[in-house]
Amino acid sequence: MRVLVVGSGGREHALCWALAASPLLTALFAAPGNPGIAGLATCAPIAATDIAALVAYAQANAIDLVFPGPEAPLAAGLADAMDAAGIPCCGPTAAAARLESSKAFTKTICDEAGIPTAAWERFDSAAAARDFVRRRGAPIVVKADGLAAGKGVVVAATEADALAAIDTIMTDRSLGEAGASVVIEECLVGEEISFFALCDGTNAIPLGVAQDHKRVGDGDTGPNTGGMGAYSPVAAFPPTADAAIMDRIIRPALAAMAARGTPFRGILFAGLMLTADGAKLIEFNVRFGDPECQVLLLRLKSDLLAALLAACEGELAQFDLRWHDHAAIAVVLAARGYPNAPERGSELRGLDAAAAQPGVHVFHAGTARDAAGRLVAAGGRVANVCATGPDLATARARAYAAIAAIDWPEGFYRQDIGART
Ligand code: AMP
Ligand code: GLY
């Protein structure tokens, strides 16, 4: 099989690493890829959202399967375009990708399908939103309804904080028109986890659970990021809990999407809060998480490519995956200034020495080669130092020992990934 991976982050490097191990693989391509991926795949300089160029490239290279990493190409119709060209693509159509691109759509699906989620209401007027907050009290969550690049959510501990958030988002329009209306939600309390399932439109199989660390600083401080580290398995979520999430959240969502004529194929990522009343959905994403993907794939024993093919062929009902018992961790190395203004261009040394340590894998994210061939920072999240071990403490110690072998004074990382358990 000739496979094309779309994207350029640590998630896509890990996907290429797992696909490269498949006995079914004959040739691996990535668009646009990164210098780490270039060691495993032929990289084409095509942007992940350039749908027409990706289809032309897949046709020219006789690609048998496309796997998109990020959500943007899916929301832009990559899977629809590949379907039209007769090329199997393991990702949702744009219509099915609305599970990530629209908060209100997801809440509607939850209501239709009886999926447990935070109680919510949407308001177009600041006065009505303020009244609601005064009636409900704190804690409470205020969200800009539109896309706000992760800046639109305020988890308000006090009524005053919630009222201030309404003023900032709706009256001052701090996020522009994304704040023309707000969604106000019940505040869920508990451990937050990322649950993944592989879906074929009708059937789904669990792909594991990881815990992300979204804040930039140690102790969950500072601004939200794409994710500063992850680990799996998660002690707060025993493997026996998979079945309940599949039955109460994943399969009802699949059934609702199929009933609308927009069946969901690909990776369904449920952001869950493990509350005292059971798991509740915070949000869906229509792709693997980054860096969650890295730790899940380090635990997968079965052939990833065979599973993706089965999803494209509607054959997941008969499919089963095997997992290693070991723990896996990913620590993100980020460029100073991330997430607001990461500094680019500084040289990274010692990645190979780190990767040579026992149980350690280094995945590239925002790296590039400069004119002299040096490896330099070219993004916010620059590399992932990952490790496996018989337990999380061992995996964690291995990852941090490997980081010590890396010479990159312009970078930083969280010291406490996986430490809370
Ligand atoms: P979202 O953009 O909806 O993923 O929200 C960003 C973050 O805000 C989530 O990862 C949660 O940590 C937090 N959050 C969102 N909704 C809620 C909620 N209803 N209760 C508590 N925390 C929430
Ligand atoms: N790490 C969270 C995400 O990929 O959305």
Side-chain angles (χ1 to χ4, degrees):
M1 301 220 37
R2 299 166 66 82
V3 178
L4 170 64
V5 171
V6 177
S8 60
R11 168 180 51 204
E12 288 75 20
H13 189 181
L15 285 162
C16 287
W17 169 78
L19 291 168
S22 172
L24 299 173
L25 188 84
T26 51
L28 187 59
F29 301 82
N34 66 36
I37 292 173
L40 298 165
T42 303
C43 293
I46 303 172
T49 48
D50 189 345
I51 308 293
L54 290 170
V55 171
Y57 185 80
Q59 285 172 325
N61 289 281
I63 296 299
D64 300 303
L65 180 81
V66 177
F67 190 80
E71 67 278 15
L74 295 166
L78 177 64
D80 307 73
M82 291 293 175
D83 285 348
I87 301 168
C89 177
C90 191
T93 60
R98 288 177 71 206
L99 282 178
E100 174 159 1
S101 58
S102 164
K103 285 192 201 307
F105 178 74
T106 298
K107 286 293 194 180
T108 307
I109 292 288
C110 286
D111 291 350
E112 267 176 42
I115 294 170
T117 186
W120 68 294
E121 265 184 67
R122 180 165 168 241
F123 297 92
D124 300 319
S125 117
R130 283 191 211 101
D131 280 350
F132 184 76
V133 164
R134 288 197 191 96
R135 281 203 308 279
R136 285 300 177 98
I140 198 158
V141 180
V142 180
K143 298 184 177 187
D145 190 35
L147 285 177
K151 294 185 180 132
V153 176
V154 176
V155 180
T158 67
E159 205 175 294
D161 287 350
L163 296 173
I166 293 169
D167 282 345
T168 314
I169 295 172
M170 297 191 84
T171 312
D172 305 344
R173 283 285 203 278
S174 61
L175 304 165
E177 287 315 293
S181 57
V182 291
V183 167
I184 301 189
E185 280 188 13
E186 166 198 5
C187 186
L188 302 175
V189 179
E191 283 291 319
E192 195 174 339
I193 62 159
S194 305
F195 183 98
F196 297 86
L198 178 64
C199 308
D200 71 5
T202 311
N203 310 292
I205 57 173
L207 277 178
V209 168
Q211 189 166 48
D212 188 15
H213 299 62
K214 289 176 197 275
R215 302 297 193 99
V216 75
D218 286 355
D220 294 329
T221 54
N224 259 321
T225 70
M228 292 298 292
Y231 67 93
S232 177
V234 181
F237 189 89
T240 49
D242 271 8
I245 304 303
M246 294 302 289
D247 288 346
R248 295 172 58 219
I249 294 178
I250 303 295
R251 291 198 185 94
L254 274 196
M257 294 302 285
R260 285 170 168 254
T262 54
F264 187 93
R265 170 190 65 206
I267 310 292
L268 188 56
F269 164 176
L272 303 178
M273 194 73 88
L274 305 180
T275 76
D277 304 332
K280 294 195 179 179
L281 184 77
I282 298 172
E283 61 168 354
F284 278 128
N285 297 124
V286 299
R287 53 173 172 81
F288 268 122
D290 183 346
E292 290 97 322
C293 179
Q294 290 84 313
V295 293
L296 296 182
L297 293 181
L298 286 171
R299 298 191 57 220
L300 180 63
K301 205 187 262 185
S302 305
D303 181 359
L304 175 67
L305 182 48
L308 301 182
L309 264 179
C312 285
E313 289 168 358
E315 285 174 1
L316 285 181
Q318 284 85 277
F319 213 86
D320 203 9
L321 290 171
R322 297 270 175 270
W323 300 91
H324 292 290
D325 281 335
H326 63 221
I329 191 168
V331 180
V332 170
L333 306 187
R336 217 185 274 153
Y338 177 73
N340 296 321
E343 295 165 18
R344 285 155 204 260
S346 56
E347 185 181 3
L348 286 95
R349 293 190 204 84
L351 291 190
D352 291 342
Q357 297 192 14
V360 173
H361 297 259
V362 175
F363 296 121
H364 288 228
T367 61
R369 296 266 173 213
D370 71 5
R374 299 178 316 158
L375 195 66
V376 298
R381 294 189 293 174
V382 173
N384 313 138
V385 178
C386 304
T388 57
D391 50 46
L392 181 60
T394 308
R396 193 168 178 265
R398 286 176 170 173
Y400 283 103
I403 289 174
I406 295 173
D407 175 15
W408 185 37
E410 294 84 357
F412 73 96
Y413 54 91
R414 273 182 66 162
Q415 315 270 351
D416 63 347
I417 304 304
R420 198 139 61 102
T421 49

